[in-house]
Amino acid sequence: MINFFQRYIDSWRFNGWFVHDIFLGIIIAVGLLLLLYVLFKRPRKGVIIIIFIIYAFLGNLLMIAFGLAGRSFPINSVSPIYTDDVQKVAVQMVEGSENNGTTNGITQIISHHQIVAINLQTGEKQWAKSSSSKETLIGYFMGGLLVHHRDGENGKFSLLDIHTGNEKLSEKEFTKKHKQLIDVLENGSHNIVLLQNNLYLEGVDGKFYRFDGKKLSEDNKAEKYISTKFFVESDIPGYFASHNQPLEDYDAVREFSNNVLAEPAIQTYKNLEPAIVDVDLQQQTAIVSYRQTKRESADSIVLSYDMKNHRMMWEENIGVVNTEQKNPGVRTLENYYAIQAGDEFLLLDKDTKKEMFRYLLRWNRPAR
């Protein structure tokens, strides 16, 4: 009950989630109109009391039903964590799941999407904007955040300013400026990979291309890179956001990951769902996550394992990762580990492992 009331209280403030903010805005606007009516019409006290009782009842009912006030709203990452060149801003797309009841034994889930940018120096929200399942973040490219859009049978691109969320190039502008690319673009983003500031893709004509931000050219390497991305990120989602090298073969990553999981120190946690969430082949290290217990509400632990010396280097409790996400998403930065842990985003200092801040994705504000 404590969680319900805390969520309920927190829901009565704008938080950047579109549906919630729309209903909260409507309720506040109606309240202001009623207040103006009372001030100018001056009805009897009994009428005023009845009006505001009805308003309070209906307002609370609408916020619980449609504004998710007090209700559970688990959040899952649906993109890797991306950063600008100097790694001062982290951006990702997240999905909130609304349980809309059960019909004929089937749970009805409504998904809400949002792109959120967090200032890594202050831990505050940089910006946030509503999104949809038809949009996919491709990564930091051409000096901005590249977004793929499904538009019927066609694919489109737009480019956002990573520091403000404003469009640098709208879909229309991007199409006009890079028509040759858009003409071969598929409506799905699964055949696109961003590596070393080049976009590799399979076109609707069945050919493979490389786009350097200005010129589109045929490049058969794209076929290998797309295949590699599929197999690597099936095991380690978001791997290429941290490791911007054109791997020719995914076997090295998969073999290394399997070797880490087979280590005696990691086998200790074999019944607690250990998972590889990042590897560094050059340094021969891996980041592993597991749950403290088998309970879904158990805290998750992340640890760093050194395969050269077969030892654990550090271990940190990052809190609960909800069942929607299951495993944390990790982006290895120059000085930090950026971790998306379901409902929360946190930043760990690489040297001290000190938690720099924790950001609440449902409320779009840092934890106090």
Side-chain angles (χ1 to χ4, degrees), residues 228-239 250-251 253-255 257-258 275-278 327:
T228 299
K229 179 189 177 185
F230 173 80
F231 285 107
V232 170
E233 296 206 342
S234 295
D235 295 329
I236 310 175
Y239 177 86
Y250 70 92
D251 286 340
V253 175
R254 177 164 285 182
E255 182 181 358
S257 299
N258 289 336
I276 304 292
V277 292
D278 192 28
N327 294 317

mmCIF file of all heavy atoms in Angstrom, residues 228-239 250-251 253-255 257-258 275-278 327:
data_model
loop_
_atom_site.group_PDB
_atom_site.id
_atom_site.type_symbol
_atom_site.label_atom_id
_atom_site.label_comp_id
_atom_site.label_asym_id
_atom_site.label_seq_id
_atom_site.Cartn_x
_atom_site.Cartn_y
_atom_site.Cartn_z
ATOM 1 N N THR A 228 26.541 -10.114 -38.388
ATOM 2 C CA THR A 228 27.276 -10.094 -37.123
ATOM 3 C C THR A 228 26.457 -9.408 -36.031
ATOM 4 O O THR A 228 26.359 -9.893 -34.907
ATOM 5 C CB THR A 228 28.616 -9.365 -37.289
ATOM 6 O OG1 THR A 228 29.405 -10.055 -38.246
ATOM 7 C CG2 THR A 228 29.378 -9.295 -35.973
ATOM 8 N N LYS A 229 25.860 -8.270 -36.368
ATOM 9 C CA LYS A 229 25.064 -7.538 -35.385
ATOM 10 C C LYS A 229 23.912 -8.401 -34.863
ATOM 11 O O LYS A 229 23.644 -8.438 -33.662
ATOM 12 C CB LYS A 229 24.508 -6.252 -35.996
ATOM 13 C CG LYS A 229 23.638 -5.463 -35.011
ATOM 14 C CD LYS A 229 22.921 -4.312 -35.673
ATOM 15 C CE LYS A 229 22.022 -3.610 -34.665
ATOM 16 N NZ LYS A 229 21.204 -2.546 -35.270
ATOM 17 N N PHE A 230 23.241 -9.094 -35.768
ATOM 18 C CA PHE A 230 22.100 -9.924 -35.364
ATOM 19 C C PHE A 230 22.525 -10.978 -34.344
ATOM 20 O O PHE A 230 21.889 -11.138 -33.296
ATOM 21 C CB PHE A 230 21.487 -10.606 -36.595
ATOM 22 C CG PHE A 230 20.427 -11.609 -36.247
ATOM 23 C CD1 PHE A 230 19.141 -11.195 -35.934
ATOM 24 C CD2 PHE A 230 20.716 -12.969 -36.205
ATOM 25 C CE1 PHE A 230 18.156 -12.124 -35.592
ATOM 26 C CE2 PHE A 230 19.741 -13.899 -35.872
ATOM 27 C CZ PHE A 230 18.454 -13.474 -35.569
ATOM 28 N N PHE A 231 23.618 -11.687 -34.626
ATOM 29 C CA PHE A 231 24.014 -12.776 -33.740
ATOM 30 C C PHE A 231 24.629 -12.260 -32.437
ATOM 31 O O PHE A 231 24.361 -12.797 -31.363
ATOM 32 C CB PHE A 231 24.986 -13.711 -34.463
ATOM 33 C CG PHE A 231 24.319 -14.591 -35.474
ATOM 34 C CD1 PHE A 231 24.472 -14.363 -36.833
ATOM 35 C CD2 PHE A 231 23.503 -15.644 -35.071
ATOM 36 C CE1 PHE A 231 23.846 -15.170 -37.773
ATOM 37 C CE2 PHE A 231 22.867 -16.459 -35.996
ATOM 38 C CZ PHE A 231 23.049 -16.218 -37.355
ATOM 39 N N VAL A 232 25.438 -11.216 -32.522
ATOM 40 C CA VAL A 232 26.063 -10.684 -31.309
ATOM 41 C C VAL A 232 25.014 -10.083 -30.390
ATOM 42 O O VAL A 232 24.987 -10.348 -29.184
ATOM 43 C CB VAL A 232 27.144 -9.642 -31.663
ATOM 44 C CG1 VAL A 232 27.613 -8.918 -30.412
ATOM 45 C CG2 VAL A 232 28.330 -10.314 -32.329
ATOM 46 N N GLU A 233 24.111 -9.254 -30.945
ATOM 47 C CA GLU A 233 23.153 -8.560 -30.090
ATOM 48 C C GLU A 233 21.986 -9.442 -29.674
ATOM 49 O O GLU A 233 21.187 -9.057 -28.829
ATOM 50 C CB GLU A 233 22.680 -7.280 -30.766
ATOM 51 C CG GLU A 233 23.839 -6.292 -30.962
ATOM 52 C CD GLU A 233 23.413 -4.856 -31.019
ATOM 53 O OE1 GLU A 233 22.222 -4.590 -31.248
ATOM 54 O OE2 GLU A 233 24.285 -3.986 -30.828
ATOM 55 N N SER A 234 21.884 -10.647 -30.247
ATOM 56 C CA SER A 234 20.939 -11.630 -29.709
ATOM 57 C C SER A 234 21.405 -12.086 -28.333
ATOM 58 O O SER A 234 20.602 -12.409 -27.460
ATOM 59 C CB SER A 234 20.836 -12.848 -30.641
ATOM 60 O OG SER A 234 20.287 -12.492 -31.879
ATOM 61 N N ASP A 235 22.726 -12.105 -28.138
ATOM 62 C CA ASP A 235 23.302 -12.490 -26.844
ATOM 63 C C ASP A 235 23.551 -11.287 -25.948
ATOM 64 O O ASP A 235 23.316 -11.329 -24.738
ATOM 65 C CB ASP A 235 24.624 -13.239 -27.060
ATOM 66 C CG ASP A 235 24.437 -14.559 -27.782
ATOM 67 O OD1 ASP A 235 23.368 -15.173 -27.605
ATOM 68 O OD2 ASP A 235 25.340 -14.971 -28.522
ATOM 69 N N ILE A 236 24.064 -10.206 -26.539
ATOM 70 C CA ILE A 236 24.418 -9.007 -25.769
ATOM 71 C C ILE A 236 23.759 -7.794 -26.420
ATOM 72 O O ILE A 236 24.358 -7.130 -27.277
ATOM 73 C CB ILE A 236 25.944 -8.810 -25.694
ATOM 74 C CG1 ILE A 236 26.637 -10.093 -25.250
ATOM 75 C CG2 ILE A 236 26.295 -7.668 -24.748
ATOM 76 C CD1 ILE A 236 28.146 -10.011 -25.267
ATOM 77 N N PRO A 237 22.517 -7.480 -26.039
ATOM 78 C CA PRO A 237 21.831 -6.332 -26.641
ATOM 79 C C PRO A 237 22.622 -5.040 -26.455
ATOM 80 O O PRO A 237 23.172 -4.767 -25.386
ATOM 81 C CB PRO A 237 20.503 -6.278 -25.868
ATOM 82 C CG PRO A 237 20.299 -7.671 -25.376
ATOM 83 C CD PRO A 237 21.677 -8.203 -25.077
ATOM 84 N N GLY A 238 22.702 -4.238 -27.517
ATOM 85 C CA GLY A 238 23.383 -2.954 -27.429
ATOM 86 C C GLY A 238 24.894 -3.027 -27.484
ATOM 87 O O GLY A 238 25.567 -2.045 -27.199
ATOM 88 N N TYR A 239 25.445 -4.179 -27.854
ATOM 89 C CA TYR A 239 26.905 -4.360 -27.841
ATOM 90 C C TYR A 239 27.608 -3.310 -28.700
ATOM 91 O O TYR A 239 28.620 -2.736 -28.296
ATOM 92 C CB TYR A 239 27.258 -5.762 -28.343
ATOM 93 C CG TYR A 239 28.750 -6.024 -28.447
ATOM 94 C CD1 TYR A 239 29.468 -6.460 -27.335
ATOM 95 C CD2 TYR A 239 29.442 -5.816 -29.637
ATOM 96 C CE1 TYR A 239 30.830 -6.686 -27.416
ATOM 97 C CE2 TYR A 239 30.805 -6.045 -29.721
ATOM 98 C CZ TYR A 239 31.503 -6.476 -28.618
ATOM 99 O OH TYR A 239 32.842 -6.689 -28.694
ATOM 100 N N TYR A 250 31.145 -13.065 -35.400
ATOM 101 C CA TYR A 250 30.573 -12.999 -34.058
ATOM 102 C C TYR A 250 31.072 -14.126 -33.162
ATOM 103 O O TYR A 250 30.881 -14.097 -31.948
ATOM 104 C CB TYR A 250 29.039 -13.044 -34.130
ATOM 105 C CG TYR A 250 28.488 -14.384 -34.539
ATOM 106 C CD1 TYR A 250 28.151 -15.337 -33.583
ATOM 107 C CD2 TYR A 250 28.307 -14.704 -35.876
ATOM 108 C CE1 TYR A 250 27.646 -16.577 -33.952
ATOM 109 C CE2 TYR A 250 27.802 -15.943 -36.249
ATOM 110 C CZ TYR A 250 27.471 -16.867 -35.290
ATOM 111 O OH TYR A 250 26.983 -18.090 -35.661
ATOM 112 N N ASP A 251 31.704 -15.134 -33.738
ATOM 113 C CA ASP A 251 32.112 -16.300 -32.952
ATOM 114 C C ASP A 251 33.040 -15.933 -31.800
ATOM 115 O O ASP A 251 32.989 -16.547 -30.736
ATOM 116 C CB ASP A 251 32.806 -17.332 -33.852
ATOM 117 C CG ASP A 251 31.811 -18.074 -34.744
ATOM 118 O OD1 ASP A 251 30.624 -18.064 -34.391
ATOM 119 O OD2 ASP A 251 32.231 -18.633 -35.766
ATOM 120 N N VAL A 253 33.060 -13.212 -29.944
ATOM 121 C CA VAL A 253 32.284 -12.682 -28.827
ATOM 122 C C VAL A 253 31.508 -13.799 -28.138
ATOM 123 O O VAL A 253 31.497 -13.907 -26.916
ATOM 124 C CB VAL A 253 31.320 -11.585 -29.322
ATOM 125 C CG1 VAL A 253 30.423 -11.104 -28.181
ATOM 126 C CG2 VAL A 253 32.087 -10.422 -29.905
ATOM 127 N N ARG A 254 30.878 -14.642 -28.943
ATOM 128 C CA ARG A 254 30.069 -15.735 -28.367
ATOM 129 C C ARG A 254 30.948 -16.720 -27.591
ATOM 130 O O ARG A 254 30.596 -17.152 -26.490
ATOM 131 C CB ARG A 254 29.303 -16.459 -29.476
ATOM 132 C CG ARG A 254 28.499 -17.634 -28.989
ATOM 133 C CD ARG A 254 27.481 -18.057 -30.005
ATOM 134 N NE ARG A 254 26.350 -17.143 -30.066
ATOM 135 C CZ ARG A 254 25.285 -17.314 -30.860
ATOM 136 N NH1 ARG A 254 25.234 -18.356 -31.658
ATOM 137 N NH2 ARG A 254 24.284 -16.472 -30.837
ATOM 138 N N GLU A 255 32.106 -17.071 -28.156
ATOM 139 C CA GLU A 255 33.001 -18.010 -27.478
ATOM 140 C C GLU A 255 33.521 -17.428 -26.172
ATOM 141 O O GLU A 255 33.565 -18.108 -25.144
ATOM 142 C CB GLU A 255 34.174 -18.373 -28.401
ATOM 143 C CG GLU A 255 35.138 -19.384 -27.789
ATOM 144 C CD GLU A 255 36.310 -19.705 -28.710
ATOM 145 O OE1 GLU A 255 36.352 -19.177 -29.835
ATOM 146 O OE2 GLU A 255 37.194 -20.481 -28.279
ATOM 147 N N SER A 257 32.066 -15.128 -24.319
ATOM 148 C CA SER A 257 30.950 -15.069 -23.371
ATOM 149 C C SER A 257 30.698 -16.427 -22.734
ATOM 150 O O SER A 257 30.507 -16.524 -21.510
ATOM 151 C CB SER A 257 29.681 -14.594 -24.088
ATOM 152 O OG SER A 257 29.851 -13.301 -24.621
ATOM 153 N N ASN A 258 30.715 -17.467 -23.549
ATOM 154 C CA ASN A 258 30.498 -18.824 -23.019
ATOM 155 C C ASN A 258 31.608 -19.232 -22.061
ATOM 156 O O ASN A 258 31.363 -19.892 -21.039
ATOM 157 C CB ASN A 258 30.404 -19.830 -24.166
ATOM 158 C CG ASN A 258 29.118 -19.676 -24.961
ATOM 159 O OD1 ASN A 258 28.119 -19.157 -24.454
ATOM 160 N ND2 ASN A 258 29.134 -20.104 -26.209
ATOM 161 N N ALA A 275 23.972 -13.584 -16.657
ATOM 162 C CA ALA A 275 23.919 -13.196 -18.070
ATOM 163 C C ALA A 275 25.073 -12.246 -18.371
ATOM 164 O O ALA A 275 25.434 -11.395 -17.544
ATOM 165 C CB ALA A 275 22.591 -12.532 -18.388
ATOM 166 N N ILE A 276 25.656 -12.394 -19.535
ATOM 167 C CA ILE A 276 26.697 -11.473 -19.988
ATOM 168 C C ILE A 276 26.015 -10.231 -20.537
ATOM 169 O O ILE A 276 25.180 -10.311 -21.439
ATOM 170 C CB ILE A 276 27.567 -12.112 -21.098
ATOM 171 C CG1 ILE A 276 28.182 -13.427 -20.616
ATOM 172 C CG2 ILE A 276 28.648 -11.134 -21.547
ATOM 173 C CD1 ILE A 276 29.214 -13.287 -19.532
ATOM 174 N N VAL A 277 26.363 -9.059 -20.008
ATOM 175 C CA VAL A 277 25.750 -7.826 -20.496
ATOM 176 C C VAL A 277 26.747 -6.926 -21.221
ATOM 177 O O VAL A 277 26.355 -5.939 -21.840
ATOM 178 C CB VAL A 277 25.067 -7.052 -19.340
ATOM 179 C CG1 VAL A 277 23.853 -7.810 -18.835
ATOM 180 C CG2 VAL A 277 26.026 -6.786 -18.189
ATOM 181 N N ASP A 278 28.031 -7.268 -21.171
ATOM 182 C CA ASP A 278 29.032 -6.555 -21.970
ATOM 183 C C ASP A 278 30.337 -7.327 -21.913
ATOM 184 O O ASP A 278 30.636 -7.978 -20.902
ATOM 185 C CB ASP A 278 29.256 -5.131 -21.445
ATOM 186 C CG ASP A 278 30.060 -4.282 -22.426
ATOM 187 O OD1 ASP A 278 29.981 -4.551 -23.644
ATOM 188 O OD2 ASP A 278 30.751 -3.350 -21.988
ATOM 189 N N ASN A 327 17.199 -8.309 -17.522
ATOM 190 C CA ASN A 327 18.632 -8.034 -17.342
ATOM 191 C C ASN A 327 18.927 -6.561 -17.587
ATOM 192 O O ASN A 327 18.300 -5.943 -18.447
ATOM 193 C CB ASN A 327 19.469 -8.873 -18.310
ATOM 194 C CG ASN A 327 19.376 -10.358 -18.024
ATOM 195 O OD1 ASN A 327 19.426 -10.782 -16.869
ATOM 196 N ND2 ASN A 327 19.210 -11.161 -19.071
#
